[in-house]
Amino acid sequence: MLTAGPAWTATADSPQTPASLLDGAEEVLVLTHHCDLAFVEECLRPARAAGARITVVYDAAAGDDDAPPGGGAAAVRDVLPVPVVMRSGGAFRPRLVVSASPAAAVVSIGSGDATPDGWLRNAEAWTHLRAHGATVPTLITDLAEWLLRLPEQLWIEPLGVERLAAVAKLLTARPHATEADEPLLLTNDLVPIVEQLPFPSGADRLSVTAPAFDAAGRALGEIVRNVRAARVRLLLPSGVRCDPVGLLVALDEAGTGADAATAGDIEEPEVRMPDGPRHHHAGAIEWWTDGAGVLVTGGLDCTPEALLCTSAEPGGNCELGLLLEVTESLVDAPDAREIALDDDALRVRPAPAAAPAVARLLGVRLLADRIEASLVAAGTTAPDGLVVTVGDATAKLPWTGAAGRLHTYASDSPGGPDGPALDGRTARVRAADGTDLGATVVTDVAGAVSRFSHPSPLETLPLPAVLGDAARLEALFTAVAQLATGRTVRHGVPARERRSSEEARLRALVGPALLDLAFGRVAIRAAAGEEPATAITAAAGSTAGHEEPSVAAAIAGLDGPGRDRLRQQVLRLGGAAAGWPLPARLAAFRLVLVLAAAGLWPAPQDWTPLVAAGLDALIAADDEAFWAEQAALATVGIAAVHHGHRLAPLAGFEDLRAAVRLDRAAPEDLVARYADGLAGAVLGAGFRAEDIAADAGELLVRSPFDDAVDAIPGAVGTVQRADGGGGVLVETTKDPRRTTLLVLDLLRDFPDSHVTVRGSAGTETHGWWNGRRLVLLTPFGGRWRGSLWPGLMTGIATYAKGASALPAAARTWITEVPQLPEG
């Protein structure tokens, strides 16, 4: 059965929403002119999490010089981008979203590009067709056949041809059966669109809307002459591309084709402009006769390239549309006001001109055995080789072959762990002679076409929503355990490159959302009232205008058994994580930390030992590829344990603090992201990145000097001087002078450390020792008496222990400040 309904879309009706996709889809295909790949990836994340492969075919020419067509400098990992170039030199302009499984399909044909404007902000016209049941209607088989013919119109990589064929195969997995009153699929690869339209012998009215018209008004004139309507209305959006003179000529012909019976009733053509803030981008043609309406929709411009040509003719576009019988007008539905073509409010722009032919990149692919790139040359020649650069990583790709204007380049190095770390981001590409060819997206093919085997529920839901559902909660902890499965070969593989392959493997297991949580790429609002900078959301725009619930609120909403169950699950998670690889430990510890900050255990004596145990497991892992995340999360973790220790002393805290060592300071931005949203009733209002960083100097950044001080009886603190030297304060009930000598001897590996010893009577002695020269300062009438021994040939421990007395000082002096004298 086929159900359909054309409509102007608001956000809730756009094709990226889960309601417009098929549950259980194996393939999702997006065809579009302009594209924002990162936006599409986020929007279609629920489909990807459910196991769908996502292919996005778009016009390689629809971009600019600074960013690749397809957009986004951020990594795009979970959709497969397929940029294409029309063989005709025209534009690739279908707007289609197909969601298919062997048993059903949802097909959306409309006018909106796969961008925030096209899917969220603009007023666009979409028709959603749902084909379910035992058979496949003609429209679906026609679409499948067109997808198989589509590569004949394009310069497209073989991988793109394979993906189109895979979708077509799913669409025709069921037997075909024609249904009554099906919409007619309109394509222009074999016959121009205009020649497929069942024009009436005369119509009551004709309505046309489009974002662009050709300068001479040829396409509009052809429609007007064929429909022969008594009344013609144009709906022109602000910013329309046209030549007003050409449109006036076409409109003047409105009455010339009318039959004799209606010629006397011809009305003056009417031009209207939609009201409201939303940009109207749809292209549609609609005529009415005796109350029956026919609608042509699908985002068609009113130009010869769209309506009067085939896609094989020079300059012809690739177009896709629908012909439907309707009972309500789509074009006349928007609120609009009558306007003159020369009114400034229309903001008329020049009619579009044909783009010049230039070389177009079709992307860079990371394959298991090579790195491959494709380029459509502007003429008969192409570069001998390409140089692909992403950050500091570079790959040189020699020319390997051509099929017409489509040239292929490939390296001998694999795109896996042994290849350069290009990892799915935007690359700058140059010819071997240095000519800049622009930017393109690098795609890890295996990652893009894989299906997640155990996706976490965070792919479609925020963490608070997961906590409120027992089944989803169990799925979350199962997904965390999945991160620990399998091991990555470390030997001989640089950490940066190994990280890329490790992430790809983990992403194929659980999807990207759980990795985002583990690696600190998103903040989570744990405590009530906190507002993290970034929230885990189900889809782009899904939380617009709504406050993301906190984890604390979700925990407060659990009943007693639900809270006890969650506590037991966290305890099991903490126990299991001790033997896991570092990425899984990161995910486990972050969950423990977030749930503790949210108040799952209100009393500090309950949550502090759990967080301490999780931190102990985190720091026990050793993986250079993820050292930054480990250091940042450990920094936040030790600060949390320290806060709990102050509230309820934790046995073994000093041992834990001594075990948490950082060879390198944690990146500040990562510390901030891990800490964001944790401040609140449990960890305190001051638990923020800047406070954590301040604590880290004492809690984490330790040195051999700190270790030596820890071994000194009575040491109560250390001081780090600007020149890098260290100092220590010691309290004693014994002779301060002898104690000073003893401490200086213990610190003999740290020359000229400033030792301050306070006796029980309040007296102080200061001392410095460099292995030969000894300086002591003792109180003298409100000031300090200094004594210097410049060449002690024996250790000072014998003097500290009273085995022998210090010889007479070589020099003494009086000073106001207890400091080492110059010279």
Side-chain angles (χ1 to χ4, degrees), residues 260-286:
T262 60
D265 299 326
I266 297 296
E267 299 181 13
E268 285 291 321
E270 180 183 348
V271 180
R272 302 165 71 237
M273 185 179 76
D275 292 326
R278 297 172 69 198
H279 175 63
H280 279 62
H281 179 257
I285 305 166
E286 184 182 273

Side-chain angles (χ1 to χ4, degrees), residues 126-532:
W126 284 92
T127 302
H128 303 298
L129 307 163
R130 183 174 290 270
H132 52 91
T135 59
V136 178
T138 301
L139 183 143
I140 299 299
T141 58
D142 286 349
L143 177 62
E145 291 173 0
W146 178 72
L147 291 176
L148 293 175
R149 298 194 307 268
L150 189 56
E152 299 171 8
Q153 311 170 50
L154 308 171
W155 296 114
I156 181 173
E157 295 172 284
L159 180 62
V161 178
E162 294 174 9
R163 303 306 308 132
L164 291 173
V167 176
K169 182 178 180 180
L170 276 181
L171 291 176
T172 54
R174 293 166 287 157
H176 166 255
T178 301
E179 295 187 10
D181 301 323
E182 284 187 43
L184 175 66
L185 188 74
L186 300 173
T187 65
N188 70 333
D189 59 320
L190 303 176
V191 180
I193 296 290
V194 72
E195 295 182 18
Q196 303 174 56
L197 303 183
F199 291 117
S201 57
D204 298 331
R205 72 180 189 271
L206 167 68
S207 298
V208 179
T209 185
F213 296 78
D214 61 283
R218 282 182 54 209
L220 177 61
E222 186 73 12
I223 298 298
V224 168
R225 284 190 296 274
N226 278 281
V227 175
R228 297 182 298 170
R231 180 182 177 190
V232 176
R233 173 180 289 177
L234 292 187
L235 183 68
L236 302 183
S238 178
V240 63
R241 288 186 175 273
C242 69
D243 181 346
V245 175
L247 291 189
L248 285 172
V249 171
L251 292 175
D252 285 343
E253 297 177 351
T256 61
D259 58 34
T262 60
D265 299 326
I266 297 296
E267 299 181 13
E268 285 291 321
E270 180 183 348
V271 180
R272 302 165 71 237
M273 185 179 76
D275 292 326
R278 297 172 69 198
H279 175 63
H280 279 62
H281 179 257
I285 305 166
E286 184 182 273
W287 61 82
W288 289 82
T289 306
D290 297 329
V294 175
L295 173 67
V296 179
T297 186
L300 303 168
D301 282 345
C302 197
T303 64
E305 296 80 12
L307 299 177
L308 309 184
C309 301
T310 68
S311 58
E313 297 179 50
N317 294 343
C318 176
E319 302 283 357
L320 181 67
L322 280 177
L323 178 75
L324 310 96
E325 294 182 356
V326 292
T327 57
E328 295 182 0
S329 174
L330 177 75
V331 181
D332 295 341
D335 293 334
R337 60 187 175 90
E338 193 167 352
I339 195 168
L341 279 171
D342 59 358
D343 194 313
D344 289 342
L346 268 178
R347 294 190 296 150
V348 172
R349 296 182 292 166
V358 298
R360 299 291 183 189
L361 292 163
L362 297 190
V364 176
R365 311 291 192 194
L366 303 184
L367 304 171
D369 59 345
R370 67 191 183 280
I371 301 171
E372 189 174 273
S374 297
L375 176 145
V376 178
T380 58
T381 61
D384 294 333
L386 302 180
V387 179
V388 180
T389 303
V390 178
D392 297 330
T394 298
K396 295 181 179 180
L397 313 182
W399 183 89
T400 56
R405 290 170 53 200
L406 179 60
H407 295 257
T408 304
Y409 303 79
S411 74
D412 296 330
S413 60
D418 298 324
L422 303 181
D423 80 336
R425 295 185 178 271
T426 297
R428 202 78 199 179
V429 181
R430 291 176 171 79
D433 63 6
T435 303
D436 190 1
L437 298 174
T440 190
V441 175
V442 183
T443 307
D444 180 345
V445 174
V449 300
S450 65
R451 302 181 70 186
F452 303 150
S453 55
H454 297 85
S456 82
L458 297 178
E459 291 297 324
T460 54
L461 292 169
L463 181 59
V466 172
L467 297 178
D469 184 282
R472 291 167 178 164
L473 190 58
E474 187 62 36
L476 173 61
F477 286 105
T478 299
V480 176
Q482 287 297 322
L483 287 178
T485 62
R487 302 284 173 170
T488 300
V489 176
R490 297 192 188 185
H491 303 295
V493 181
R496 178 179 176 182
E497 295 166 14
R498 183 167 54 77
R499 178 190 176 107
S500 178
S501 62
E502 175 78 346
E503 280 206 51
R505 183 182 67 81
L506 297 176
R507 192 170 59 250
L509 281 173
V510 299
L514 186 56
L515 296 188
D516 288 344
L517 178 144
F519 298 148
R521 293 174 184 148
V522 290
I524 305 171
R525 182 197 291 172
E530 288 302 305
E531 201 65 64

